[in-house]
Amino acid sequence: MRLRVEFTTEPFDLDEAPAHALVAREVIEAAELDAVDVGPFGNTAEGGSSAVLTAVDALLRRALEAGATRISLQVNVVGEGDDK
């Protein structure tokens, strides 16, 4: 099964990216995901269910440790396919 994850971390800082946002970006970019799109107001990535769920776990843990006070997250099934 293929999944798409969309997420934001807060609090926002328009002057410079906060540590939790940088950590979240690192986690998603290092994961074995397809179609990664990291932006200032939202981030998306897509991949096999195992890879997405592993990345989401790491994202939640590391962003909270880095100071995130809120993480908005949505996961959608986008198709069948490789579970990696």
Side-chain angles (χ1 to χ4, degrees):
M1 163 182 341
R2 291 190 54 79
L3 302 175
R4 177 181 300 123
V5 61
E6 301 174 43
F7 67 93
T8 57
T9 62
E10 295 179 37
F12 292 114
D13 183 342
L14 296 177
D15 294 327
E16 66 180 78
H20 58 80
L22 296 176
V23 165
R25 181 181 303 162
E26 287 174 13
V27 168
I28 291 301
E29 290 178 341
E32 294 182 21
L33 302 174
D34 309 324
V36 174
D37 183 21
V38 177
F41 300 109
N43 309 284
T44 61
E46 193 173 306
S49 62
S50 293
V52 170
L53 295 174
T54 298
V56 166
D57 178 62
L59 166 74
L60 293 171
R61 292 174 189 278
R62 293 195 49 211
L64 290 168
E65 289 170 358
T69 58
R70 177 178 173 145
I71 302 170
S72 300
L73 178 72
Q74 180 173 322
V75 178
N76 294 302
V77 174
V78 294
E80 296 300 318
D82 196 0
D83 192 38
K84 294 180 183 175

